[in-house]
Amino acid sequence: MSARRLTLLVAGAFCLGACSSLNPFSSSNTKIPALKPLTAVAKTAEVWRGRVGSAGRFVFQPAVFGDAVFAAAADGTVVKLQAGRNVWKSSVDMPISGGVGSNGRLVVVGSPKGDVLALDAESGKMKWRVSVNAEILAAPVVSDGMVVVRSADSRLFGLDPADGKRRWVYQRALPALSLRSSAGVVQEGNAVFAGFPGGKLVAVNAINGSLMWEGAVAVPRGATELERIADITSLPVLGSRAACAVAYQGRIACFDLANGSTLWARDMSSSRGLDQDGRHVFVTDEKGSVHALDLSTGSSAWKQDQLAGRGAGRPRVVREYVVVGDVEGYIHVLRKDDGSLVGRLRAESSPILADIQLSGGDVVVQTQDGSVYALGVQ
């Protein structure tokens, strides 16, 4: 057995054992805390519902473009939904492990064996297929000029959207142990932002794959390799002037979007992720509590700990609210200015592990059993 293979096995054992929060399917006897009665202020309602199929052991997030929603299942099914109606349903004839990415013209997914498959967004027909020779767990990013794919070994591939031809590869040295993650990349203009094992956030040129800047979100600390794991396992978020990211067993930090200089950083552990608006950064910590931090200074604005222990996911900002999903299939609505819980809806009991997506004033959710639905929050 190779040293590299051993490293991956050890990392997997660590995630399954010591880091049950990173593995929602682990056999944990921890009881999920009961929800307290709620006097709803925000109105929540199901707008539409569709279905794609089970995610299995993977995590799929739907892609929203205009009024179209694209979703994938582990068995190779890809669907296009509009208002919950199936516009088309295709099979790529192989398992899918990463997806979905779309720019409204292409729909791109990845396979456990490293195949990248692009479908026509109008018809669902296959346009091209290429291989990057590594498992794909994250949703690709699709723009008019480039398809960016992240492999499970944290390499970034820039592919031509016309035919899938490889244009560039970005890779960096990784620590001995790292966490298995479905976190992908975010693109803004000609810059691609990605978090890496070891706590680094990088900006990469989307045209040629060259490094534009890097910032240290977290610095690995501890006496053992396990203690020194400080990986960014969620998407960075971008605002008008700041790029922010958070690391497991590390810190949350914001950087100047143009040059990568550190604006502020503070200790906080999260594998779930974060969001921001013009005033605050919202983050779900490792225990499941949701925080609002001042975007300029990092100081605490509020903390909501009633969701602790419920496997709360990445928070998303919807107008004056913050919405968060959990492992029992609930969507929780928090008031953005003070963190108070003002709404709740449970469309079904399947876990919500994928990032909630936004579609106008609605939120789009894909559950692990394969339901895809839109919720209105007012």
Side-chain angles (χ1 to χ4, degrees), residues 307-342:
L307 303 182
R310 298 193 55 82
R314 178 189 175 190
R316 298 305 307 271
V317 177
V318 183
R319 294 187 299 272
E320 67 268 34
Y321 302 113
V322 175
V323 295
V324 182
D326 74 17
V327 295
E328 288 193 323
Y330 286 96
I331 294 289
H332 305 275
V333 183
L334 289 68
R335 195 186 296 277
K336 192 169 65 171
D337 57 3
D338 62 9
S340 57
L341 283 163
V342 294

Side-chain angles (χ1 to χ4, degrees), residues 186-194 201-204 212-214 236-245 253-263 276 295:
V186 177
Q187 184 171 348
E188 180 66 31
N190 286 330
V192 173
F193 298 84
L201 175 67
V202 304
V204 174
M212 300 171 67
W213 58 257
E214 72 171 43
V237 294
L238 312 178
S240 59
R241 63 183 184 87
C244 303
C254 287
F255 304 87
D256 186 283
L257 202 58
N259 57 30
S261 60
T262 302
L263 300 176
Q276 64 166 289
L295 181 58

Side-chain angles (χ1 to χ4, degrees), residues 20-22 24 233-235 246-248 269-274 283-289 307-315 324-325 327 353 355:
S20 61
S21 61
L22 292 177
T233 60
S234 57
L235 287 176
V246 64
Y248 174 76
S269 175
S270 175
S271 60
R272 273 78 168 192
L274 66 174
V283 58
T284 304
D285 69 20
E286 207 53 46
K287 295 180 180 180
S289 297
L307 303 182
R310 298 193 55 82
R314 178 189 175 190
V324 182
V327 295
L353 305 183
D355 289 353

Side-chain angles (χ1 to χ4, degrees), residues 15 137-138 150-152 178-184 231-234 271:
C15 289
L137 299 174
R150 179 174 189 157
S151 59
S178 60
L179 300 176
R180 183 177 173 87
S181 167
S182 60
D231 296 357
I232 300 172
T233 60
S234 57
S271 60

Side-chain angles (χ1 to χ4, degrees), residues 20-251:
S20 61
S21 61
L22 292 177
N23 176 32
F25 303 107
S26 63
S27 56
S28 172
N29 295 322
T30 303
K31 186 177 180 180
I32 297 176
L35 292 168
K36 296 180 180 180
L38 181 68
T39 302
V41 176
K43 295 180 180 180
T44 58
E46 184 174 314
V47 178
W48 57 257
R49 177 186 292 260
R51 184 160 184 82
V52 58
S54 172
R57 62 189 179 93
F58 304 108
V59 176
F60 297 111
Q61 64 182 39
V64 177
F65 192 89
D67 62 351
V69 175
F70 304 94
D75 66 359
T77 300
V78 184
V79 299
K80 178 180 181 178
L81 304 171
Q82 285 182 306
R85 177 181 62 87
N86 266 52
V87 178
W88 52 254
K89 180 178 180 180
S90 297
S91 175
V92 299
D93 295 324
M94 67 176 62
I96 296 174
S97 54
V100 176
S102 179
N103 64 346
R105 287 176 289 281
L106 277 184
V107 181
V108 184
V109 296
S111 82
K113 293 186 177 180
D115 296 287
V116 183
L117 307 113
L119 310 179
D120 181 86
E122 290 299 317
S123 65
K125 294 181 179 180
M126 184 81 71
K127 294 201 70 173
W128 48 260
R129 168 183 167 184
V130 298
S131 178
V132 298
N133 298 312
E135 184 181 28
I136 299 166
L137 299 174
V141 167
V142 185
S143 66
D144 292 343
M146 198 70 64
V147 174
V148 182
V149 177
R150 179 174 189 157
S151 59
D153 58 6
S154 288
R155 286 181 293 166
L156 308 182
F157 297 85
L159 309 178
D160 192 309
D163 55 12
K165 184 177 180 180
R166 187 179 300 183
R167 297 301 183 189
W168 53 262
V169 180
Y170 175 83
Q171 59 184 336
R172 58 187 297 120
L174 301 178
L177 293 184
S178 60
L179 300 176
R180 183 177 173 87
S181 167
S182 60
V185 302
V186 177
Q187 184 171 348
E188 180 66 31
N190 286 330
V192 173
F193 298 84
F196 282 86
K200 297 291 187 181
L201 175 67
V202 304
V204 174
N205 188 304
I207 298 174
N208 57 26
S210 62
L211 178 66
M212 300 171 67
W213 58 257
E214 72 171 43
V217 175
V219 178
R221 295 174 294 185
T224 68
E225 295 288 354
L226 296 182
E227 292 174 338
R228 287 193 290 271
I229 290 178
D231 296 357
I232 300 172
T233 60
S234 57
L235 287 176
V237 294
L238 312 178
S240 59
R241 63 183 184 87
C244 303
V246 64
Y248 174 76
Q249 292 191 154
R251 300 187 302 175

